[in-house]
Amino acid sequence: TDEIMQQEIRPLVAVDIIEQLHRQFAILSGGRGKDGAPIITFPEFAGFSDIPDEDFLNVVTYLTSIPSLEAASIGFIIIIDRRRDKWSAVKASLTRIAGAFPGNLQLVFVLRPSRFIQRTIADIGIKLYRDDFKMKVPIIMLNSVSDLHGYIDKSQLTRELGGTLEYGHSQWIHHRTAIENFAMTVKTTAQMLQTFGTDLAETELPNDVQCTEELLSAHTDHHSKLKDELKLAVKQGATLLTCIREPVTRSANSKLSPDELENVATVERLLAQLDETEKAFDQFWTKHYLKLEQCLQLRHFEHDFREVKLALDNLMEAQAGFADIGDSVTRVEHLLREQKQLEEKGQEPLEKAQSLALHGEQLIQNNHYAVDSIRPKCVELRRICDDFTNETKKKYDILGKSLELHKQLDKASQWCEAGIYLLASQAVDKCQSQEGAETALVEIEKFLVTAKEHQLSNPKEFYNQFDMILTPEIKANAQRILQKLEDVQEMFDKRQVSLKKLAAKQTRPVQPVAPHPESSPKRASPKITRPAGNENLHLMFSVSLVGPAVKNECEISLTANIQTRVNQKKVQASLASHIINELIETERVYVEELQSIIEGYASEMDNPNLVHLIPSALQNKKEILFGNLPEIYEFHNRHEIENCIENPELLARCFLKRKEDLQIYEKYCQNKPRSEALWRQCGDSIFFQECQRKLDHKLSLDAYLLKPVQRITKYQLLLKEMLKCSKNSEGTAELEEALATMLDIIKSVNDSMHQIAITGYEGDVSELGKLLMQGSFNVWTDHKKGHNKVKDLARFKPMQRHLFLYTKMLLFCKKREENTDGHEKTASYSFKNSLKMSTVGITENVKGDNKKFEIWYNGREEVYIIQASSVELKNTWISEIRKVLTGQLEACR
């Protein structure tokens, strides 16, 4: 059934030779022989000999191609009707058929000329020329159609040959043309459906709502048109089938000829093919339409998410702005009202966020293809809602505590003011009498009863209760009020003592006198200002204000303080000396170990007496195994670090002076993976065992080859310790610079170790400039032009990419980890893409995530959204990229 869909139906179709067919010099009437052989009739035709050979061959070839392969394989029966013609016409017909008939022949019947003379000539001629016709089948000469009926049943012969077979040549041509036209329609329709399906499969999913709606509408319209074409094709086939079956429909006694039955089978087969194609297309369209509908749902969801996320971010930003907890009751009450307003304002975006998250979960439950894109957004929406709710509750709790605190402080302050007013209002002269003193005492005792109600609680309990909101300002205010309470309480105590003395029975007249200055509520205690940042100066200043005993104690304390500082400096100097000695001693051991490796292993590889012990895999690979270890040895062997014993401050200068030379470690570490691979292959050889035995080493060679890597880390640690011992000393700045230098070298070594693991990059990495940064990120793409197809669902997920930032290029790689011969995993970085730094732009902030930034290319034709693991890492990368772009700009200027 697929032959019509896959190739041309036949070399010739009726429409190609329509004029020749209408001449009717040869027909395929539909009759069959007794064994089912198809019959081709050559009716009487006056100009048969004048028919061009090409026309004759085309018609005969076309007629023999119509019956089924099964019928054609039996062989064709040819009936040549020449009853009204001459022997010459019979001879010419047989000669032409013998020379050009393309099919398999079974029998040839010739209705000989009816005139006596011509019949006689034909009898003689057939005997004389039979061999000249080159036919391998019998040629039967017949005198009449009744003789023909002895061979072929009348039902298989047309009326012209005395049979009953209904045949209309014009109708036959019409049917053949219609069938072939319908076959072409089926093929064309199927091809259109296939082309449309291919276009659908290769269609990119749009990135916004409008484009998705337009694409969905365009595809739906195209689909509707194709369905209309299918309906027309089916209708055409059904009409054709009705026309072919019309004789049977008209008369129950009529039967279709075998050829007509084959025509029916052909049309039915084409209709079935059309039906199968339509079903397959409908199935594909259903999936594609669902994909587009889900894409539109996703774009609406993403659009709503961006809007809601922006509203939530603004809400969270506004909430974050409410950092003030108030410095008074009025201020706190105002902040509470503002917080309430913000909470009410946030209800709408919070409800939208919850509704959108619920919608997203419904999409996931409905088996949406972009689950990995939808689910994180739902989680993010709910997280922000929860954060806002929790933060709002926390704000209310804090402001509630603040309100309670300030109310207590206000009450305490008011109580103090009331107490001071009470003391001030008690007239001194009236209190000198016993009665006046007792009245004043009653007033004071009555007032002190309210102390528990209005005073602050125990200071320690107070601070514990409000610890979460005790800012330095509030704490200072609380201390002021607590001190004020203490002062007022002391004033009351002193006043009570005085009044109790006056209230006692007096045996002598009392001379009214003014109260002692200490009882005056207006008296202020002297304040001593402490000079900022100088404890000893403050201590000496305070000594002059105290008595002799306290003065002696303070002098002792001052002396101890000064002595402690002197001792601290001695301890620091001692530690620095110890670190220098440790550095020099470990340096000496390190140089000796390097020397023993070079002399005991590397040089022995050139010893003729040991060549036979060296594995073949190790031959001529000394530089791979040892790298630039001799260069490292020469560098350390002439190091001037011993000069730092007497002058520790020279240590930093020593490292700074040789910082360029320390780059040799980068080269060594870059070679280390190759060295380790070679050692794993050859490390158990007798050669290495013999060398180790001679050196009397407890450890094998691979342990010593790790020493350089360990050494640069050791320098960093020693410099850190040295810096701790040298705080605020003269050489601190240089030590910090030296430590920074070592950290840069370690970073450079680390970066280079990653760089050498890059695979698949066709260029030379060394031509990309200095490697500035490297690290792993989540990456999304948002390109105007790309190759992301409908079937590519992974593009909704972030790609895991390892980025290498050079001064000239930014490389995007995919990190891969592989186990190497049972050893720990080694990372490699498969190159995926690169961007020239001279043509990129950067967007430092991406809405919705403060860990994201954008790098774009060619006017945002290619946009890479990059998410760092932290805000700090993002800012570091942005800073480096900004430096590169600024440097390029300055270079252009």
Side-chain angles (χ1 to χ4, degrees):
T1 57
D2 289 340
E3 65 179 349
I4 298 171
M5 308 298 296
Q6 303 296 333
Q7 61 187 12
E8 291 294 333
I9 299 173
R10 296 175 180 85
L12 287 173
V13 291
V15 71
D16 296 334
I17 54 173
I18 194 71
E19 293 182 3
Q20 293 91 322
L21 290 174
H22 275 296
R23 297 178 71 182
Q24 203 173 343
F25 59 81
I27 62 172
L28 184 70
S29 61
R32 291 285 192 273
K34 294 179 181 179
D35 56 359
I39 298 172
I40 294 178
T41 304
F42 289 89
E44 290 181 319
F45 190 83
F48 186 80
S49 60
D50 298 329
I51 298 172
D53 291 340
E54 182 180 359
D55 291 352
F56 177 81
L57 182 60
N58 283 342
V59 170
V60 174
T61 301
Y62 177 70
L63 294 179
T64 55
S65 67
I66 293 174
S68 65
L69 292 176
E70 181 182 358
S73 64
I74 299 173
F76 287 89
I77 295 175
I78 293 178
I79 299 176
I80 303 173
D81 186 2
R82 294 293 181 266
R83 286 174 292 176
R84 299 177 185 177
D85 219 326
K86 301 177 181 179
W87 158 245
S88 59
V90 174
K91 180 181 177 183
S93 299
L94 289 173
T95 301
R96 171 166 276 185
I97 293 170
F101 192 80
N104 180 27
L105 279 173
Q106 185 187 96
L107 281 173
V108 177
F109 293 101
V110 180
L111 286 170
R112 73 181 80 190
S114 58
R115 287 178 290 176
F116 178 77
I117 275 218
Q118 293 298 327
R119 179 180 297 180
T120 304
I121 295 172
D123 289 340
I124 298 170
I126 194 69
K127 293 177 182 178
L128 293 175
Y129 296 103
R130 182 182 294 273
D131 293 338
D132 294 343
F133 297 142
K134 298 179 182 179
M135 289 189 182
K136 298 179 181 179
V137 296
I139 301 175
I140 301 173
M141 303 295 290
L142 302 173
N143 293 325
S144 65
V145 292
S146 59
D147 294 342
L148 180 61
H149 297 162
Y151 294 95
I152 300 173
D153 191 89
K154 287 184 178 182
S155 64
Q156 302 300 315
L157 296 172
T158 62
R159 295 184 184 279
E160 289 78 10
L161 297 177
T164 60
L165 180 66
E166 296 288 339
Y167 176 77
H169 190 61
S170 297
Q171 185 184 47
W172 181 88
I173 292 176
H174 173 71
H175 283 177
R176 289 307 311 166
T177 306
I179 290 171
E180 291 165 357
N181 184 44
F182 178 57
M184 183 57 65
T185 299
V186 172
K187 180 179 179 180
T188 304
T189 303
Q191 287 175 342
M192 288 192 320
L193 294 177
Q194 185 177 9
T195 301
F196 182 52
T198 302
D199 292 341
L200 296 185
E202 295 180 352
T203 301
E204 297 179 22
L205 290 176
N207 290 323
D208 58 82
V209 172
Q210 182 179 352
C211 291
T212 307
E213 288 177 340
E214 291 174 355
L215 183 65
L216 183 60
S217 176
H219 282 189
T220 304
D221 290 345
H222 198 164
H223 171 261
S224 298
K225 292 178 181 177
L226 286 175
K227 289 291 287 186
D228 291 342
E229 295 284 344
L230 274 168
K231 289 179 182 177
L232 287 175
V234 171
K235 185 177 181 181
Q236 178 184 350
T239 302
L240 178 58
L241 202 58
T242 302
C243 290
I244 297 173
R245 288 171 171 168
E246 191 268 336
V248 178
T249 306
R250 188 177 65 246
S251 172
N253 296 325
S254 298
K255 291 184 179 180
L256 297 179
S257 69
D259 280 0
E260 288 174 327
L261 290 174
E262 284 189 2
N263 287 344
V264 169
T266 299
V267 175
E268 288 177 340
R269 186 178 76 243
L270 290 171
L271 285 169
Q273 179 67 36
L274 205 58
D275 183 61
E276 290 176 8
T277 303
E278 184 177 15
K279 287 179 180 177
F281 175 72
D282 286 343
Q283 186 178 9
F284 174 80
W285 169 253
T286 301
K287 293 180 180 179
H288 177 74
Y289 185 76
L290 175 62
K291 179 67 66 62
L292 283 181
E293 277 195 324
Q294 289 186 343
C295 179
L296 184 58
Q297 292 170 349
L298 178 65
R299 297 302 172 235
H300 278 297
F301 178 80
E302 290 174 338
H303 177 268
D304 295 342
F305 174 79
R306 286 191 291 269
E307 289 187 345
V308 172
K309 181 70 163 53
L310 179 61
L312 291 178
D313 288 342
N314 292 335
L315 195 63
M316 292 297 290
E317 185 178 350
Q319 188 182 60
F322 280 92
D324 189 6
I325 62 173
D327 55 1
S328 66
V329 172
T330 305
R331 176 62 179 162
V332 174
E333 290 175 343
H334 175 71
L335 290 174
L336 282 168
R337 287 194 296 272
E338 287 188 339
Q339 182 65 38
K340 184 66 176 176
Q341 291 173 0
L342 180 63
E343 184 182 18
E344 292 172 353
K345 178 183 176 182
Q347 287 307 308
E348 183 179 354
L350 287 175
E351 289 174 0
K352 285 184 178 179
Q354 294 288 359
S355 175
L356 186 60
L358 181 62
H359 175 57
E361 290 171 355
Q362 289 173 347
L363 292 178
I364 293 172
Q365 291 175 1
N366 292 335
N367 298 320
H368 198 286
Y369 68 84
V371 171
D372 292 336
S373 176
I374 296 171
R375 182 174 284 116
K377 292 179 173 62
C378 295
V379 172
E380 177 74 0
L381 290 173
R382 295 198 184 280
R383 182 192 65 77
I384 296 176
C385 291
D386 291 342
D387 287 351
F388 180 79
T389 303
N390 294 334
E391 194 63 25
T392 299
K393 184 178 180 302
K394 190 185 297 183
K395 292 284 185 185
Y396 277 127
D397 291 343
I398 291 175
L399 289 174
K401 283 283 187 184
S402 180
L403 184 62
E404 182 183 354
L405 166 69
H406 288 296
K407 282 183 177 180
Q408 287 194 34
L409 290 176
D410 283 358
K411 286 181 179 181
S413 182
Q414 290 168 7
W415 184 85
C416 290
E417 295 299 327
I420 293 171
Y421 178 78
L422 174 62
L423 292 173
S425 64
Q426 290 180 334
V428 176
D429 54 345
K430 291 181 180 180
C431 293
Q432 298 304 312
S433 65
Q434 183 178 0
E435 184 180 356
E438 288 176 350
T439 302
L441 274 172
V442 171
E443 290 178 349
I444 290 173
E445 289 171 356
K446 188 182 293 185
F447 180 77
L448 289 176
V449 171
T450 64
K452 292 182 180 180
E453 180 182 349
H454 298 292
Q455 289 185 63
L456 291 175
S457 59
N458 180 278
K460 185 176 181 181
E461 294 178 2
F462 171 80
Y463 288 133
N464 290 337
Q465 182 182 1
F466 298 106
D467 180 64
M468 61 184 289
I469 60 170
L470 280 178
T471 63
E473 294 78 8
I474 294 176
K475 191 171 184 179
N477 186 40
Q479 288 175 341
R480 181 181 61 79
I481 294 175
L482 285 170
Q483 184 61 47
K484 189 175 181 181
L485 276 171
E486 187 178 338
D487 292 343
V488 171
Q489 186 65 52
E490 183 181 357
M491 291 164 61
F492 273 113
D493 292 342
K494 290 180 179 180
R495 178 66 64 87
Q496 281 180 311
V497 171
S498 300
L499 290 174
K500 284 179 181 179
K501 289 180 181 179
L502 293 172
K505 287 187 178 180
Q506 300 179 3
T507 56
R508 58 187 177 83
V510 177
Q511 179 69 31
V513 295
H516 192 276
E518 288 181 353
S519 65
S520 172
K522 295 182 180 179
R523 180 180 181 271
S525 60
K527 293 185 179 179
I528 300 171
T529 304
R530 176 179 298 187
N534 198 327
E535 293 182 7
N536 294 331
L537 182 59
H538 165 64
L539 194 57
M540 294 173 68
F541 179 68
S542 301
V543 167
S544 64
L545 302 178
V546 298
V550 179
K551 181 177 181 182
N552 291 336
E553 184 180 345
C554 289
E555 287 175 348
I556 293 170
S557 177
L558 174 60
T559 303
N561 191 19
I562 294 172
Q563 184 64 42
T564 299
R565 294 197 175 188
V566 171
N567 291 340
Q568 187 176 2
K569 288 186 177 180
K570 288 182 180 181
V571 170
Q572 289 180 341
S574 176
L575 286 174
S577 177
H578 175 74
I579 292 170
I580 292 292
N581 288 332
E582 181 185 355
L583 176 60
I584 292 172
E585 177 59 26
T586 55
E587 186 74 9
R588 181 186 61 77
V589 174
Y590 177 52
V591 171
E592 289 177 357
E593 288 176 340
L594 293 179
Q595 183 179 6
S596 68
I597 293 169
I598 293 170
E599 294 178 354
Y601 286 98
S603 298
E604 288 297 285
M605 290 184 70
D606 299 325
N607 186 344
N609 298 325
L610 298 177
V611 170
H612 66 285
L613 299 178
I614 300 177
S616 58
L618 193 61
Q619 297 287 344
N620 301 318
K621 293 183 180 177
K622 181 168 67 175
E623 290 75 13
I624 295 177
L625 183 62
F626 296 97
N628 63 329
L629 196 68
E631 186 181 7
I632 294 175
Y633 167 70
E634 290 299 327
F635 166 70
H636 286 276
N637 196 33
R638 62 177 186 270
H639 212 298
E640 302 169 357
I641 202 167
E642 292 83 359
N643 298 335
C644 302
I645 296 177
E646 300 297 332
N647 300 299
E649 64 274 6
L650 297 178
L651 178 64
R653 298 178 192 173
C654 183
F655 276 94
L656 292 173
K657 178 181 176 183
R658 308 295 292 276
K659 66 179 182 180
E660 297 297 332
D661 296 330
L662 285 168
Q663 298 296 329
I664 56 177
Y665 278 96
E666 182 176 337
K667 182 179 178 182
Y668 183 81
C669 291
Q670 285 180 343
N671 179 69
K672 199 71 180 68
R674 299 172 64 205
S675 172
E676 290 175 349
L678 188 59
W679 172 259
R680 286 195 294 269
Q681 188 177 358
C682 310
D684 57 352
S685 70
I686 299 176
F687 170 76
F688 291 118
Q689 296 174 10
E690 180 65 19
C691 292
Q692 183 177 347
R693 185 188 63 78
K694 288 182 180 180
L695 291 170
D696 196 24
H697 278 179
K698 294 181 180 180
L699 301 175
S700 58
L701 174 61
D702 60 326
Y704 289 95
L705 291 177
L706 278 174
K707 296 289 185 178
V709 181
Q710 298 167 345
R711 192 60 187 168
I712 54 174
T713 306
K714 180 73 172 178
Y715 288 145
Q716 167 208 333
L717 296 175
L718 289 171
L719 285 171
K720 280 183 178 179
E721 292 300 318
M722 195 69 182
L723 189 59
K724 290 179 183 178
C725 301
S726 306
K727 285 293 183 183
N728 302 321
S729 65
E730 185 178 346
T732 300
E734 289 184 329
L735 275 171
E736 289 176 344
E737 187 180 353
L739 176 60
T741 298
M742 285 308 303
L743 292 174
D744 284 345
I745 290 172
I746 291 173
K747 177 182 178 298
S748 179
V749 167
N750 182 56
D751 289 347
S752 67
M753 294 294 287
H754 288 276
Q755 174 182 270
I756 62 174
I758 296 175
T759 61
Y761 181 69
E762 296 183 356
D764 187 353
V765 176
S766 62
E767 296 178 357
L768 303 183
K770 183 180 178 182
L771 177 59
L772 304 174
M773 301 283 287
Q774 57 82 24
S776 295
F777 297 88
N778 290 332
V779 178
W780 291 262
T781 58
D782 186 8
H783 300 346
K784 293 180 181 176
K785 296 179 180 179
H787 303 285
N788 296 332
K789 306 301 179 187
V790 169
K791 58 189 177 182
D792 186 9
L793 306 183
R795 69 192 191 93
F796 294 101
K797 296 181 179 180
M799 299 178 289
Q800 305 300 316
R801 292 291 181 262
H802 200 89
L803 273 57
F804 292 85
L805 175 63
Y806 295 87
T807 53
K808 296 182 181 179
M809 192 84 76
L810 177 64
L811 299 187
F812 290 78
C813 300
K814 185 173 184 179
K815 185 176 181 180
R816 305 181 187 279
E817 292 185 345
E818 300 176 354
N819 287 324
T820 307
D821 301 331
H823 293 265
E824 62 182 11
K825 290 183 177 180
T826 57
S828 65
Y829 303 95
S830 176
F831 171 75
K832 293 295 181 184
N833 194 16
S834 64
L835 300 177
K836 290 183 179 178
M837 293 305 294
S838 59
T839 57
V840 303
I842 182 171
T843 304
E844 297 185 7
N845 294 301
V846 176
K847 286 186 178 180
D849 194 337
N850 58 1
K851 293 184 289 186
K852 287 182 180 178
F853 62 98
E854 289 181 346
I855 293 180
W856 40 269
Y857 191 60
N858 282 351
R860 296 187 69 84
E861 181 177 299
E862 296 180 20
V863 178
Y864 297 84
I865 303 168
I866 300 171
Q867 183 186 52
S869 58
S870 66
V871 176
E872 293 76 14
L873 180 61
K874 166 198 164 182
N875 292 336
T876 303
W877 273 74
I878 287 176
S879 176
E880 284 296 329
I881 294 172
R882 196 188 299 119
K883 287 178 184 177
V884 173
L885 300 182
T886 304
Q888 291 174 351
L889 182 60
E890 290 176 353
C892 290
R893 286 174 178 170

